[in-house]
Amino acid sequence: MRKYGWSSFRDLVLKNPANPDAVDQQDSHINDGDENDVRGNWTNKREYILSMIGYAVGLGNVWRFPYLTYKNGGAAFLIPYFIMLVVAGIPLFFLESSFGQFCSQGPIYAWRAVPILQGVGFSMLVVNSLVSIYYNVIIAYSLFYMFASFQSPLPWSSCLSWVDTNSAISNAFSANSTRENDTCSPSTTTVIPTQSPSEQYWDQVVLQRSSGLDETGSIVWRLALCLLLAMSILAAAVIKGIKSSGKVVYFTATFPYVVILILVIRGVTLEGAADGIQFYIGSQSNFSKLAEAEVWKDAATQTFYSLSIGWGGVMTLASYNKFHNNIFLDSFVVTLANAGTSVFAGFAIFSILGHMAYVYGKNIGEVAEDGFGLVFIVYPDALSKLPIAPLWSVLFFFMLFTLGLDSQFAGIEVITTCLIDGFPKILQSRRTLITLVTCVVIFLLGLPCVTQAGIYWVTLMDQFVASWVLLVIVLVEIIGISYIYGGNRFIEDIEMMIGNKSFSFWLWWRACWFFITPCLIVVLVWSLATFVPPSYGTVEFPAWGLALGWCMAVFCIVWIPIVAVYKLIRAEGNALQVCVSVCRPSEEWHPYLEIHRGERYSEEHCCHKNTVNQSDADTNVISNSWL
């Protein structure tokens, strides 16, 4: 027992050299069968595929795609969606995955291929870190609802059913509370429809929402506890990096499909479900919508964001693959699984929304929403109308929890990988400590998001950080790889991993990487000229809040010009020599292991090594400097 006591845990975290057992435990992210005995590899291909699917399939597949399909013509929307998947989604996913797998490095070091654009890696890290802060808060919302579902009837099933009889709110509404058209109103004499029971529960119980961003209020302690629990579970899952998270995804990446299947089977047996499905992708589909530019824009952005391209996670997870892994096939499996999940989830959503519309005697359009309104107001309300409502509610919110958790695995891994790759000699043996510190920092930074004004902060960060900023990052990324590094050179790198392919095989990928995808992203960036300042419902953000949002957006992408200027200043020679040197791959850009470098990279490395006095350098170890 003493062996596994506090001292053992302390040695594991801090790595006490005096304890050899602790050192062995600390290096448990490396297995005997790993090809890379410094960074480690996925235990097997299944863990990588499940982790990638778990990362790509997130909350947006449930709360955004079904609504966009309904809004943009039903089945007609699937046509532009899958077209965008083919011309943008799959090519970009394949590009990022190959980039990370080739060099076995995270998003910062991978840009040694184009040193002047190494700031793209920093931007990815910053975006990923900011998103991880508020994404964990959304997971906390799911936990809150899951715990609240363990009671019958569900607390949001009727007006003020969640209020204690002696509370101030109960006294204010006491016997004067009435229900008309399923809304809660404070008076029986003048009925003014205000909020549905589920909306009231969301605003007054879960969020305890203040009047605006100016009124911060106090921390909602129940949400804070859910946030702490979510982060604790996350930390335990990623404590040993991909070796531990790779085991967890066997459950977290597959369980959502079980729940979606159960909800679909239950949903289609309800009255009114057929109407909901007809509005989703049935006879109510409107193919005339295909003539509208907005439909194609929504299809492109949904494809782009649902695959988590530009966040750094795809590149990071792929960097732990073995060098000769068939990344081409993996890219198809993950992207098609993600698209199929989105379509399948829509049946679970709209079959039950159809039943809800039937119960209320309303049109589907009057109950269909996206985002927070769908998963925390409309869908809980619909679930409360079902027999054995607590069971369906627990399953649904536990599914949301696992969907969010999978995405967070990669988010934490991006941060720890960048740190460890940056300072391997110092941090490689302290992965556990780095992971714990990262989780604690993200938890503390997330506390403002669980105050009474927390939902405004979540909305602000989501609208400014996880939106057009990613378009800019990916546009620079694909230009850098295709035009500066060289698309043909990149294809040769890929062939070193998956074997030589014919010219016709690469014809489509060349067309996408050189022309189609960059042009599409340029159009999307240009369309943001009509950007509308975000708001939460009818609550507008103050000027200082919008200014802060713009500052966050600028902070994400400013690293690209900052690092470029830094590289130009540090380079030596005349103007032409400087430009060539900062655009040419550095001497440290190559496959991580020397055995995989072949003639292309071993000769270049040796030539550079002869011209620069680095006789004592270890060619197997990456430098400790990010820049």
Side-chain angles (χ1 to χ4, degrees):
M1 291 295 295
R2 184 177 180 183
K3 180 180 178 180
Y4 300 101
W6 164 250
S7 297
S8 179
F9 176 77
R10 181 189 58 198
D11 294 335
L12 172 65
V13 174
L14 300 178
K15 188 181 179 183
N16 183 357
N19 189 342
D21 292 335
V23 176
D24 293 339
Q25 293 178 35
Q26 181 66 36
D27 294 335
S28 58
H29 66 283
I30 307 295
N31 289 344
D32 293 336
D34 286 347
E35 181 179 73
N36 191 324
D37 59 1
V38 178
R39 299 180 81 250
N41 298 107
W42 294 99
T43 302
N44 53 59
K45 193 181 186 71
R46 290 188 303 275
E47 293 184 6
Y48 167 69
I49 293 294
L50 289 175
S51 296
M52 272 295 200
I53 291 176
Y55 177 51
V57 177
L59 297 173
N61 297 73
V62 174
W63 74 16
R64 181 164 173 78
F65 177 84
Y67 176 79
L68 285 179
T69 304
Y70 157 75
K71 170 190 169 186
N72 292 304
F77 180 71
L78 299 182
I79 297 175
Y81 175 71
F82 280 100
I83 289 176
M84 293 301 173
L85 180 67
V86 172
V87 302
I90 297 177
L92 285 172
F93 194 92
F94 181 36
L95 180 143
E96 283 201 359
S97 300
S98 302
F99 204 47
Q101 180 174 306
F102 179 77
C103 63
S104 298
Q105 293 288 287
I108 293 180
Y109 269 127
W111 283 99
R112 282 174 166 161
V114 189
I116 195 172
L117 295 182
Q118 198 168 15
V120 173
F122 284 93
S123 293
M124 288 180 172
L125 175 62
V126 173
V127 168
N128 178 84
S129 302
L130 292 176
V131 170
S132 296
I133 294 171
Y134 77 81
Y135 204 83
N136 206 48
V137 175
I138 300 175
I139 298 176
Y141 294 157
S142 302
L143 283 176
F144 188 104
Y145 269 90
M146 186 185 73
F147 292 136
S149 300
F150 286 98
Q151 51 186 307
S152 183
L154 292 174
W156 54 84
S157 60
S158 60
C159 297
L160 301 179
S161 61
W162 39 267
V163 180
D164 181 76
T165 55
N166 296 319
S167 70
I169 297 179
S170 178
N171 292 332
F173 289 90
S174 59
N176 292 326
S177 180
T178 188
R179 185 170 181 175
E180 177 146 333
N181 295 328
D182 298 289
T183 59
C184 298
S185 175
S187 172
T188 56
T189 56
T190 304
V191 178
I192 304 175
T194 54
Q195 292 180 310
S196 67
S198 59
E199 186 177 1
Q200 190 182 67
Y201 184 83
W202 166 246
D203 279 341
Q204 298 188 28
V205 180
V206 181
L207 302 178
Q208 299 180 26
R209 182 162 63 92
S210 65
S211 59
L213 196 61
D214 293 310
E215 185 184 351
T216 301
S218 59
I219 291 179
V220 182
W221 66 269
R222 283 177 290 189
L223 273 183
L225 290 177
C226 289
L227 181 65
L228 178 61
L229 176 61
M231 185 53 72
S232 300
I233 295 173
L234 178 63
V238 300
I239 194 71
K240 294 181 181 179
I242 61 171
K243 297 301 184 184
S244 55
S245 65
K247 302 298 184 294
V248 178
V249 294
Y250 280 108
F251 174 76
T252 57
T254 57
F255 179 76
Y257 291 95
V258 176
V259 176
I260 292 174
L261 179 61
I262 293 173
L263 291 176
V264 168
I265 295 174
R266 182 66 185 99
V268 297
T269 63
L270 298 171
E271 291 183 287
D275 295 333
I277 294 176
Q278 292 294 339
F279 271 92
Y280 176 44
I281 58 172
S283 61
Q284 299 296 323
S285 300
N286 182 7
F287 285 89
S288 65
K289 285 274 190 178
L290 293 176
E292 299 179 10
E294 187 70 18
V295 174
W296 293 84
K297 175 187 172 183
D298 285 345
T301 53
Q302 176 62 22
T303 301
F304 186 81
Y305 293 127
S306 65
L307 291 173
S308 302
I309 299 168
W311 306 58
V314 173
M315 201 178 296
T316 298
L317 296 181
S319 72
Y320 291 101
N321 279 330
K322 293 183 178 180
F323 185 76
H324 293 294
N325 173 63
N326 190 345
I327 196 66
F328 175 77
L329 178 61
D330 294 348
S331 299
F332 272 91
V333 171
V334 174
T335 53
L336 293 179
N338 176 71
T341 303
S342 298
V343 176
F344 188 45
F347 287 97
I349 297 297
F350 270 87
S351 60
I352 293 182
L353 289 186
H355 174 67
M356 179 182 177
Y358 171 82
V359 171
Y360 286 160
K362 296 181 178 180
N363 186 280
I364 292 291
E366 297 180 63
V367 298
E369 293 188 34
D370 67 340
F372 296 116
L374 173 63
V375 296
F376 295 122
I377 298 177
V378 176
Y379 208 74
D381 192 12
L383 293 175
S384 68
K385 304 297 184 291
L386 302 180
I388 325 177
L391 172 63
W392 309 117
S393 186
V394 169
L395 286 175
F396 177 72
F397 287 109
F398 188 56
M399 177 192 72
L400 291 185
F401 168 68
T402 55
L403 285 173
L405 200 63
D406 280 336
S407 299
Q408 280 292 78
F409 289 164
I412 299 298
E413 193 62 45
V414 170
I415 300 173
T416 56
T417 295
C418 288
L419 291 173
I420 293 173
D421 284 350
F423 309 95
K425 294 182 179 179
I426 301 174
L427 302 180
Q428 186 70 58
S429 60
R430 294 177 172 82
R431 174 178 287 272
T432 300
L433 177 62
I434 296 303
T435 301
L436 291 177
V437 171
T438 300
C439 291
V440 169
V441 171
I442 290 178
F443 167 75
L444 294 176
L445 293 176
L447 287 178
C449 296
V450 291
T451 61
Q452 291 177 291
I455 189 64
Y456 304 121
W457 288 109
V458 171
T459 303
L460 193 71
M461 295 173 71
D462 182 56
Q463 293 295 318
F464 279 100
V465 175
S467 56
W468 61 269
V469 169
L470 293 174
L471 293 176
V472 174
I473 291 175
V474 175
L475 178 61
V476 176
E477 175 186 50
I478 195 168
I479 290 175
I481 295 176
S482 298
Y483 290 97
I484 301 179
Y485 179 70
N488 292 329
R489 176 189 287 177
F490 184 56
I491 288 174
E492 291 177 358
D493 292 341
I494 297 175
E495 288 184 335
M496 290 177 64
M497 297 186 289
I498 66 175
N500 294 330
K501 303 294 181 181
S502 64
F503 176 81
S504 58
F505 175 88
W506 292 112
L507 191 60
W508 170 251
W509 303 103
R510 283 189 171 97
C512 290
W513 290 337
F514 280 105
F515 306 108
I516 301 176
T517 306
C519 291
L520 177 62
I521 298 175
V522 169
V523 171
L524 290 176
V525 173
W526 181 258
S527 69
L528 293 172
T530 59
F531 178 79
V532 178
S535 62
Y536 181 78
T538 59
V539 179
E540 302 290 338
F541 289 117
W544 67 266
L546 295 176
L548 183 60
W550 284 111
C551 287
M552 287 190 290
V554 171
F555 181 69
C556 290
I557 60 177
V558 73
W559 299 99
I560 299 175
I562 286 178
V563 174
V565 171
Y566 174 82
K567 293 288 186 179
L568 290 170
I569 293 175
R570 291 291 301 271
E572 298 179 353
N574 57 41
L576 179 60
Q577 292 173 331
V578 167
C579 290
V580 170
S581 65
V582 297
C583 293
R584 182 177 55 193
S586 71
E587 70 275 10
E588 293 170 322
W589 165 254
H590 47 59
Y592 195 94
L593 300 178
E594 188 171 6
I595 192 175
H596 296 137
R597 295 174 191 171
E599 295 183 1
R600 290 181 64 219
Y601 286 94
S602 60
E603 289 180 358
E604 292 176 12
H605 181 76
C606 291
C607 290
H608 184 84
K609 188 176 179 182
N610 290 332
T611 57
V612 181
N613 185 16
Q614 293 180 336
S615 58
D616 58 341
D618 182 0
T619 61
N620 289 312
V621 179
I622 304 299
S623 168
N624 285 339
S625 171
W626 266 341
L627 298 175

